[in-house]
Amino acid sequence: MSEDLIHLSAVDAVAALKTGEVSPLDLLDAQEKRIAAVDGAVNALPTRCFDRARKRAKALMARAGNLDPTSPGWLAGLPIAVKDMNPVAGVRTTFGSPIYANHVPTRSDVMVSTLERHGALVSAKSNTPEFAAGAHTFNDVFGATKNPWDLSKSCGGSSGGSAVALATGMAWLATGSDLGGSLRIPAAFNGVVGLRPSPGRVAQGPLADPFSPLSMEGPMGRSLADCALMLDAMAGRDPLDPLSRDAPAHSFLSAAQRQSLPRRVAWSADLNVTPMAAVQREVAEAATRRFGGLGADLVEARLDLSDAMACFQTLRAVQFATAMAPLLEKHRDRLKPEVVWNIEKGLALSVDEVARANRTRARIVQRMARLFETVDVLATPTTCVPPFPLEHRYVEEVEGQTLATYVDWLAITFAITVTGCPALSLPAGLTPEGLPVGLQLVGRPGGEAALLSHAAALEADIGFFRSLPMTPET
């Protein structure tokens, strides 16, 4: 029974919860058993809180008669994994940092509270790099999370623990956050789906800079429908987030289940912003061409986002300085060098440099608006390399080109961050070595519903999600 439950999609698991075919306690039992069997090999969910989850499950079951199971995003007692960047009341939350190794918050953050109001049960915290800095999941508190497709490889990051938990059947849904690609990159490296929403779609906070549109919370799942279900449970307005907006009238799940074909898809191998490994380009382009086989028009994107590199690096440094300068003052010796570098870069910026980055971002937003006047979806590879060796801190070279910083290899995703457009990573296929490759699909600002619907048409044609969950070979 428990093995069967692990193989259910999130959509099917919630349907079974709503009919009473299974209970939240059944799912928690199945999840706990699966984690015990698998997580020792991959180290994705180092903190578990099943006692808290069972207590909340029983309270939810006692109120079942007073709840509306037809409400969009109602998760009905589905267990979820929450990234260790998000405070959960009463649960150890470390942010991947020795500074917070024993931190237990008394209140959950906005996103977690929203999910719990929609019937989610937080049963585990997923591993993340220190303060989510970098796209490789390792830290001095819990160690590294391994890629289940090849345990010698990186699982990506910073939402790496969430992606691995999904791929291996240790969670039906998991949360992620995305500044420069932290949802999309681990989704690509592990063969799952990660969606970065438009600014304000998912309320978040409290934040040091609640007006920044750079870092977003979003859903991760084994399929687009599962991601859409979670987005319904996350979406909505909250007074702590001044960018947040009301949930839409129609559910994202219904949009994903419609599977509408885009009329026109633009393809770019690199956005003129990054070197690109040949295998990434080939697998992602082949997946994009499937849109053409289904009847969509394919065009080469005449889009140059090379100016996004300096723009993002500046705005990212501002965010680090805003949020973390006090930590640098008190705990410099306990921060990893990449975090120190980012904070100091932000503190050293001039007003002219920040103003220049903001003007560049405005031009990029206008450029994307013009692109979406004639196309429905922009497609690129999600990453410039396949999963790399676990012992490497980050990617230093691509196709013979040396990269200047630890985040340069994220350029294909962080260039899209600057645009403010919603973007997701969809499994596109495998490398010859059997490692997942992701296809990044980008939609119009605020256009998550259309993006999910268009991407679902391609997902059904590729069919990769049917191979999950998988068990890592040890």
Coordinates of all heavy atoms in Angstrom, one line a residue, residues 2-9 34 172 222 468-469:
S2 N 1.9 1.3 0.9 CA 2.7 2.5 1.0 C 3.5 2.8 -0.3 O 3.6 3.9 -0.7 CB 3.6 2.5 2.2 OG 4.6 1.4 2.0
E3 N 4.0 1.7 -0.9 CA 4.7 1.8 -2.2 C 3.8 2.4 -3.3 O 4.2 3.2 -4.1 CB 5.3 0.5 -2.6 CG 6.3 0.5 -3.8 CD 7.5 1.3 -3.5 OE1 7.9 1.4 -2.3 OE2 8.2 1.8 -4.4
D4 N 2.6 1.9 -3.3 CA 1.6 2.4 -4.3 C 1.3 3.9 -4.1 O 1.2 4.7 -5.0 CB 0.3 1.7 -4.2 CG 0.4 0.2 -4.7 OD1 1.4 -0.1 -5.4 OD2 -0.4 -0.6 -4.3
L5 N 1.2 4.3 -2.8 CA 0.9 5.7 -2.5 C 2.1 6.6 -3.0 O 1.8 7.8 -3.4 CB 0.7 5.9 -1.0 CG -0.6 5.2 -0.5 CD1 -0.7 5.5 1.0 CD2 -1.8 5.7 -1.2
I6 N 3.3 6.2 -2.8 CA 4.5 7.0 -3.2 C 4.4 7.3 -4.7 O 4.9 8.3 -5.2 CB 5.8 6.3 -2.8 CG1 6.0 6.4 -1.3 CG2 7.0 6.8 -3.6 CD1 6.1 7.8 -0.8
H7 N 3.9 6.3 -5.5 CA 3.9 6.5 -7.0 C 2.7 7.3 -7.4 O 2.6 7.7 -8.6 CB 3.9 5.1 -7.6 CG 5.2 4.5 -7.7 ND1 5.7 3.8 -6.6 CD2 6.1 4.4 -8.6 CE1 6.9 3.3 -6.9 NE2 7.2 3.7 -8.1
L8 N 1.8 7.7 -6.6 CA 0.7 8.6 -7.0 C 1.3 10.0 -7.3 O 2.2 10.5 -6.7 CB -0.3 8.8 -5.9 CG -1.2 7.6 -5.5 CD1 -2.1 8.0 -4.3 CD2 -2.1 7.2 -6.7
S9 N 0.7 10.6 -8.3 CA 1.0 12.0 -8.6 C 0.4 12.8 -7.4 O -0.5 12.3 -6.7 CB 0.4 12.5 -9.9 OG -1.1 12.5 -9.8
R34 N 9.4 5.8 3.0 CA 10.2 6.0 1.8 C 11.5 6.8 2.1 O 12.5 6.5 1.6 CB 9.4 6.7 0.7 CG 10.1 7.1 -0.6 CD 10.4 5.8 -1.3 NE 11.0 6.1 -2.7 CZ 11.4 5.2 -3.5 NH1 11.4 3.9 -3.2 NH2 11.9 5.6 -4.7
W172 N 5.5 14.4 -2.6 CA 4.7 14.6 -3.7 C 4.8 16.0 -4.3 O 4.7 16.2 -5.5 CB 3.2 14.3 -3.3 CG 2.9 12.9 -3.0 CD1 2.5 11.9 -3.9 CD2 3.1 12.2 -1.7 NE1 2.4 10.7 -3.3 CE2 2.7 10.9 -1.9 CE3 3.4 12.7 -0.5 CZ2 2.7 10.0 -0.9 CZ3 3.5 11.8 0.6 CH2 3.1 10.4 0.4
R222 N 6.6 16.6 -9.8 CA 7.1 15.7 -10.8 C 6.5 15.9 -12.2 O 7.0 15.5 -13.2 CB 6.7 14.2 -10.4 CG 7.4 13.8 -9.1 CD 7.0 12.4 -8.7 NE 7.1 12.2 -7.3 CZ 6.4 11.3 -6.6 NH1 5.5 10.6 -7.2 NH2 6.6 11.2 -5.3
L468 N 9.1 8.6 -13.3 CA 9.3 9.0 -11.9 C 8.2 8.4 -11.0 O 7.1 8.2 -11.5 CB 9.3 10.5 -11.7 CG 10.4 11.2 -12.5 CD1 10.3 12.7 -12.3 CD2 11.8 10.7 -12.0
P469 N 8.5 8.2 -9.7 CA 9.7 8.4 -9.0 C 10.7 7.3 -9.3 O 10.3 6.2 -9.7 CB 9.4 8.4 -7.5 CG 8.2 7.5 -7.5 CD 7.4 7.7 -8.7

